[in-house]
Amino acid sequence: MTIRVGIIGVGNIGTAHALNLARFVAGSTVSVLYDVDQPRAVLLADELGARHVNTVAALIEADDVDAVLIASPDSMHAEHAMEAIAAGKPMLCEKPLAVGDANARAVVDAEVSHGSRLIQVGFMRRFDPGYVSLKAEMTPAGIGEALIVHNVHRNTAAPYGLRTEQTLTNMVTHEFDINRWLLGEDLTSVMVLPGKSGSLTPKGEQDPILVILQSESGVLVEIEAFCNARYGYEVQCRITGDRGQAVMGDGTWVTRSTDFIRGSQIPELWLGRFQDAYRLQLQAWVTALNTGSPLLGASAWDGLAAAVVSDRAIEAYRTGERVNIDLPLKPDLYR
Ligand SMILES: NC(=O)c1ccc[n+]([C@@H]2O[C@H](COP(=O)([O-])OP(=O)(O)OC[C@H]3O[C@@H](n4cnc5c(N)ncnc54)[C@H](O)[C@@H]3O)[C@@H](O)[C@H]2O)c1
């Protein structure tokens, strides 16, 4: 069977997902596109031999859409996910699941009422070969029990303008999710330390920031987030365990030596660093839909957990206090 995917929002990532689905993902095709910027949807639809529609509802309800990919701006995800749940259609919803934990809870409640899992959240790092290899080191024969995790997340330029609270909900949400996934447990407290800002940081905002969390068993998780790092896009993760250390490679495949200098390219965007992860995520999603096997990626519950951590991190940033993170009771659907 071929899964016919309808895509809501065809900007940077929506277009990348569309091209991946059309070119590299077995068992899928892109059938329908919608974007408020209609010419953008028309252009891509023409390139892919898809059609475009004029409303979100027309896309979700279309007979030739088996599954929905939500790649609209952060603030629209919850609304679009609720519409797809109401139509009973499976979806890959870009991160974050929602802005604000109340909105994320509403999506989880709607999925629980529906009675089966429809949502995979686009936390694609769970499919990145680097992170997968890192997690494989966390065994008794490997680095042993994790004690401290150091994360670095740097953008070349602030992707959607720079507001510190959005850095937490849009950018650092990747680390909130991937550290829960790596450690296999929830995060229980958060502090956000402001410091000296870079020259491109708007007045009143903070960049870089340091986020320090603790997990259920007490593991310390430190995250440096720097939106305007300028030199390139870079993600690092280093785990210190009780019998060793594992450091994730930087995604570099080729080292070039010319003119007495040895080095490698740094990607400008997340698309370069995580190209394999995006493709593998889509393939796993489409394969699960095609075979009826469980979705492997982040669930709506994981999306809610990340949204709760983001909200508490905003509180920690505003107050300067260490803030506890309490999740609601996990519904059976996600156990
Ligand atoms: N998983 C990742 O690593 C990753 C990477 C990039 C972006 N994202 C997420 O994907 C989403 C899109 O990011 P982007 O970089 O592609 O942004 P973008 O601004 O390039 O694209 C967003 C698109 O959505 C369209 N749009 C705006 N309002 C809409 C609406 N109501 N309905 C339908 N379309 C609408 C815009 O016209 C635009 O084409 C964001 O939520 C972002 O956080 C995730």
Side-chain angles (χ1 to χ4, degrees):
M1 191 178 139
T2 298
I3 301 294
R4 297 164 300 176
V5 181
I7 303 181
I8 302 173
V10 288
N12 292 316
I13 198 76
T15 299
H17 285 323
L19 295 175
N20 264 329
L21 285 165
R23 293 174 182 164
F24 301 120
V25 175
S28 73
T29 182
V30 178
S31 54
V32 184
L33 304 178
Y34 169 72
D35 196 298
V36 282
D37 182 347
Q38 198 187 17
R40 195 176 257 185
V42 171
L43 205 66
L44 187 62
D46 286 350
E47 185 183 337
L48 298 177
R51 63 189 187 92
H52 69 93
V53 289
N54 294 327
T55 62
V56 169
L59 182 140
I60 289 175
E61 285 156 22
D63 287 341
D64 55 351
V65 168
D66 303 311
V68 178
L69 198 158
I70 299 171
S72 47
D74 295 5
S75 60
M76 302 304 301
H77 293 179
E79 184 181 321
H80 293 157
M82 297 289 260
E83 284 190 62
I85 293 171
K89 296 223 170 154
M91 74 206 81
L92 179 68
C93 178
E94 260 309 338
K95 47 56 58 174
L97 176 64
V99 180
D101 65 2
N103 291 326
R105 268 181 213 214
V107 178
V108 163
D109 288 347
E111 190 179 45
V112 169
S113 298
H114 171 78
S116 64
R117 280 195 52 197
L118 293 172
I119 302 175
Q120 177 168 321
V121 180
F123 283 124
M124 79 300 171
R125 290 187 186 186
R126 294 174 177 226
F127 296 90
D128 175 64
Y131 277 109
V132 170
S133 304
L134 193 59
K135 192 170 168 69
E137 295 296 330
M138 296 168 61
T139 62
I143 64 167
E145 290 275 318
L147 303 176
I148 300 190
V149 190
H150 301 277
N151 301 267
V152 168
H153 187 167
R154 299 184 187 132
N155 272 307
T156 306
Y160 311 100
L162 204 160
R163 285 188 299 110
T164 309
E165 295 187 3
Q166 198 181 9
T167 302
L168 295 165
T169 58
N170 175 279
M171 180 175 163
V172 188
T173 190
H174 273 299
E175 272 73 24
F176 296 153
D177 179 70
I178 204 67
N179 282 278
R180 282 182 71 244
W181 179 79
L182 284 167
L183 298 173
E185 59 184 23
D186 280 308
L187 301 166
T188 53
S189 70
V190 57
M191 293 173 71
V192 178
L193 301 183
K196 183 172 176 174
S197 274
S199 57
L200 297 180
T201 309
K203 206 170 168 10
E205 305 297 339
Q206 183 66 52
D207 186 53
I209 50 171
L210 198 59
V211 182
I212 299 174
L213 304 110
Q214 207 156 15
S215 73
E216 272 169 328
S217 71
V219 180
L220 288 170
V221 174
E222 177 213 49
I223 304 163
E224 174 208 308
F226 192 8
C227 291
N228 272 321
R230 299 211 245 181
Y231 72 90
Y233 178 82
E234 186 160 37
V235 165
Q236 302 167 0
C237 186
R238 173 190 301 252
I239 305 178
T240 310
D242 62 1
R243 64 180 300 277
Q245 173 190 243
V247 181
M248 185 181 68
D250 59 5
T252 301
W253 299 109
V254 172
T255 303
R256 181 173 58 198
S257 303
T258 51
D259 303 316
F260 314 104
I261 294 176
R262 178 169 296 154
S264 56
Q265 259 191 336
I266 306 170
E268 185 185 350
L269 285 177
W270 54 86
L271 279 172
R273 166 62 182 85
F274 286 111
Q275 57 186 343
D276 291 337
Y278 291 120
R279 183 177 42 77
L280 293 166
Q281 166 186 247
L282 285 170
Q283 186 63 73
W285 179 56
V286 164
T287 301
L289 296 181
N290 255 323
T291 57
S293 49
L295 295 168
L296 293 176
S299 67
W301 177 259
D302 297 315
L304 168 61
V308 172
V309 180
S310 298
D311 275 13
R312 299 303 168 269
I314 288 174
E315 189 184 335
Y317 172 64
R318 285 181 186 160
T319 61
E321 302 287 325
R322 177 173 173 160
V323 175
N324 288 332
I325 302 163
D326 289 312
L327 292 179
L329 199 65
K330 196 184 213 178
D332 288 342
L333 185 60
Y334 308 106
R335 287 180 191 279

Coordinates of all heavy atoms in Angstrom, one line a residue, residues 277-313:
A277 N 18.5 11.8 9.9 CA 17.4 11.6 10.9 C 16.1 12.0 10.4 O 15.1 11.2 10.6 CB 17.7 12.5 12.1
Y278 N 16.0 13.0 9.6 CA 14.7 13.4 9.0 C 14.1 12.3 8.1 O 13.0 11.9 8.1 CB 14.8 14.7 8.2 CG 15.0 15.9 9.1 CD1 16.1 16.7 8.9 CD2 14.1 16.3 10.0 CE1 16.4 17.8 9.7 CE2 14.3 17.4 10.8 CZ 15.4 18.2 10.6 OH 15.7 19.3 11.4
R279 N 15.0 11.7 7.3 CA 14.6 10.7 6.3 C 14.2 9.4 7.1 O 13.2 8.8 6.8 CB 15.8 10.4 5.3 CG 15.5 9.4 4.3 CD 16.7 9.3 3.3 NE 18.0 9.3 4.0 CZ 18.5 8.2 4.6 NH1 17.8 7.1 4.7 NH2 19.7 8.3 5.2
L280 N 15.1 9.0 8.1 CA 14.8 7.8 8.8 C 13.5 7.9 9.6 O 12.8 6.9 9.8 CB 16.0 7.5 9.7 CG 17.3 7.1 9.0 CD1 18.5 7.1 9.9 CD2 17.1 5.7 8.3
Q281 N 13.3 9.1 10.2 CA 12.0 9.3 10.9 C 10.8 9.1 10.0 O 9.9 8.4 10.4 CB 12.0 10.8 11.4 CG 10.7 11.3 11.9 CD 10.7 12.7 12.3 OE1 10.6 13.1 13.5 NE2 10.9 13.6 11.4
L282 N 10.9 9.7 8.8 CA 9.8 9.6 7.9 C 9.6 8.1 7.4 O 8.4 7.7 7.4 CB 10.0 10.5 6.6 CG 9.8 12.0 6.8 CD1 10.3 12.7 5.6 CD2 8.4 12.3 7.1
Q283 N 10.7 7.4 7.2 CA 10.6 6.1 6.7 C 9.9 5.2 7.8 O 9.1 4.4 7.6 CB 11.9 5.5 6.3 CG 11.9 4.1 5.7 CD 11.1 4.1 4.4 OE1 11.5 4.5 3.4 NE2 9.8 3.5 4.5
A284 N 10.4 5.4 9.1 CA 9.8 4.6 10.2 C 8.3 4.9 10.4 O 7.5 4.0 10.6 CB 10.5 5.0 11.5
W285 N 7.9 6.2 10.2 CA 6.5 6.6 10.3 C 5.7 5.9 9.2 O 4.7 5.3 9.5 CB 6.4 8.1 10.2 CG 5.0 8.7 10.3 CD1 4.1 8.5 11.3 CD2 4.4 9.6 9.3 NE1 3.0 9.2 11.0 CE2 3.1 9.9 9.8 CE3 4.8 10.1 8.1 CZ2 2.3 10.7 9.2 CZ3 4.0 11.0 7.4 CH2 2.7 11.3 7.9
V286 N 6.1 6.0 8.0 CA 5.4 5.5 6.8 C 5.3 3.9 7.0 O 4.3 3.3 6.7 CB 6.0 5.9 5.5 CG1 5.6 5.0 4.3 CG2 5.8 7.4 5.2
T287 N 6.4 3.3 7.3 CA 6.4 1.8 7.5 C 5.5 1.4 8.6 O 4.7 0.4 8.4 CB 7.9 1.3 7.8 OG1 8.7 1.8 6.7 CG2 7.9 -0.2 7.9
A288 N 5.4 2.1 9.7 CA 4.5 1.8 10.8 C 3.1 1.9 10.3 O 2.2 1.0 10.5 CB 4.7 2.7 12.0
L289 N 2.8 2.9 9.5 CA 1.4 3.1 9.0 C 1.0 2.0 8.0 O -0.1 1.5 8.0 CB 1.2 4.5 8.4 CG 1.4 5.7 9.3 CD1 1.2 7.0 8.5 CD2 0.4 5.7 10.5
N290 N 2.0 1.7 7.2 CA 1.8 0.7 6.2 C 1.6 -0.7 6.7 O 0.8 -1.5 6.2 CB 3.0 0.6 5.2 CG 2.6 1.3 3.9 OD1 1.5 1.2 3.4 ND2 3.5 2.0 3.3
T291 N 2.3 -1.0 7.8 CA 2.3 -2.4 8.4 C 1.3 -2.5 9.6 O 1.1 -3.6 10.1 CB 3.7 -2.8 8.8 OG1 4.2 -1.9 9.8 CG2 4.6 -2.9 7.6
G292 N 0.8 -1.4 10.1 CA 0.0 -1.4 11.2 C 0.8 -1.7 12.5 O 0.2 -2.0 13.6
S293 N 2.1 -1.6 12.5 CA 2.9 -1.8 13.7 C 3.0 -0.5 14.5 O 2.7 0.6 14.0 CB 4.3 -2.2 13.3 OG 4.9 -1.4 12.3
P294 N 3.4 -0.6 15.8 CA 3.3 0.6 16.6 C 4.3 1.7 16.1 O 5.3 1.5 15.5 CB 3.8 0.1 18.0 CG 3.7 -1.4 17.9 CD 3.8 -1.8 16.5
L295 N 3.9 3.0 16.3 CA 4.7 4.1 16.0 C 5.9 4.1 16.8 O 5.8 3.9 18.0 CB 3.9 5.4 16.2 CG 2.7 5.6 15.3 CD1 1.8 6.8 15.8 CD2 3.1 5.8 13.8
L296 N 7.1 4.3 16.2 CA 8.4 4.2 17.0 C 8.8 5.5 17.6 O 9.6 5.6 18.5 CB 9.5 3.7 16.1 CG 9.3 2.2 15.6 CD1 10.4 1.9 14.6 CD2 9.3 1.3 16.8
G297 N 8.3 6.6 17.0 CA 8.9 7.9 17.4 C 8.2 8.5 18.6 O 7.5 7.7 19.3
A298 N 8.5 9.7 18.9 CA 7.9 10.4 20.1 C 6.4 10.4 20.0 O 5.8 10.7 19.0 CB 8.5 11.8 20.2
S299 N 5.8 10.1 21.2 CA 4.3 10.1 21.2 C 3.8 11.5 21.6 O 4.6 12.4 22.0 CB 3.8 9.1 22.2 OG 4.2 9.5 23.5
A300 N 2.5 11.6 21.6 CA 1.9 12.9 22.1 C 2.2 13.1 23.5 O 2.4 14.2 24.0 CB 0.3 12.9 21.9
W301 N 2.3 12.0 24.3 CA 2.7 12.1 25.7 C 4.1 12.7 25.8 O 4.4 13.6 26.6 CB 2.7 10.7 26.4 CG 3.2 10.8 27.8 CD1 4.4 10.5 28.3 CD2 2.4 11.4 28.9 NE1 4.5 10.8 29.6 CE2 3.3 11.3 30.0 CE3 1.2 11.9 29.0 CZ2 2.9 11.8 31.3 CZ3 0.8 12.4 30.3 CH2 1.6 12.3 31.4
D302 N 5.0 12.2 24.9 CA 6.4 12.8 24.9 C 6.3 14.3 24.6 O 7.1 15.1 25.1 CB 7.3 12.1 23.9 CG 7.5 10.6 24.3 OD1 7.8 10.3 25.5 OD2 7.4 9.7 23.4
G303 N 5.4 14.6 23.6 CA 5.2 16.0 23.3 C 4.7 16.9 24.4 O 5.2 18.0 24.7
L304 N 3.8 16.3 25.2 CA 3.3 17.0 26.4 C 4.4 17.1 27.4 O 4.6 18.2 28.0 CB 2.1 16.2 27.0 CG 1.7 16.6 28.4 CD1 1.2 18.1 28.4 CD2 0.6 15.7 28.9
A305 N 5.2 16.1 27.6 CA 6.3 16.2 28.6 C 7.3 17.3 28.2 O 7.7 18.1 29.1 CB 7.1 14.8 28.7
A306 N 7.6 17.4 27.0 CA 8.5 18.5 26.5 C 7.9 19.8 26.7 O 8.6 20.8 27.1 CB 8.9 18.2 25.1
A307 N 6.6 19.9 26.5 CA 5.9 21.2 26.7 C 5.9 21.6 28.1 O 6.0 22.8 28.5 CB 4.5 21.1 26.1
V308 N 5.7 20.6 29.0 CA 5.7 21.0 30.5 C 7.1 21.4 30.9 O 7.2 22.4 31.6 CB 5.2 19.7 31.3 CG1 5.4 20.0 32.8 CG2 3.8 19.4 31.0
V309 N 8.1 20.7 30.4 CA 9.5 21.2 30.8 C 9.7 22.6 30.3 O 10.3 23.4 31.0 CB 10.5 20.2 30.3 CG1 11.9 20.6 30.7 CG2 10.3 18.8 30.8
S310 N 9.3 22.8 29.0 CA 9.5 24.2 28.4 C 8.8 25.3 29.3 O 9.4 26.3 29.6 CB 8.9 24.2 27.0 OG 9.6 23.4 26.2
D311 N 7.6 25.0 29.7 CA 6.8 26.0 30.5 C 7.5 26.2 31.8 O 7.6 27.4 32.3 CB 5.4 25.5 30.8 CG 4.5 25.9 29.6 OD1 5.0 26.3 28.5 OD2 3.2 25.8 29.8
R312 N 8.0 25.1 32.5 CA 8.7 25.3 33.8 C 10.0 26.0 33.6 O 10.5 26.8 34.4 CB 8.9 24.0 34.5 CG 7.7 23.2 34.8 CD 6.7 24.0 35.6 NE 5.4 23.3 35.7 CZ 4.4 23.5 34.8 NH1 4.5 24.5 33.9 NH2 3.3 22.8 34.8
A313 N 10.7 25.8 32.4 CA 11.9 26.5 32.1 C 11.7 28.0 31.9 O 12.5 28.8 32.4 CB 12.6 25.9 30.9

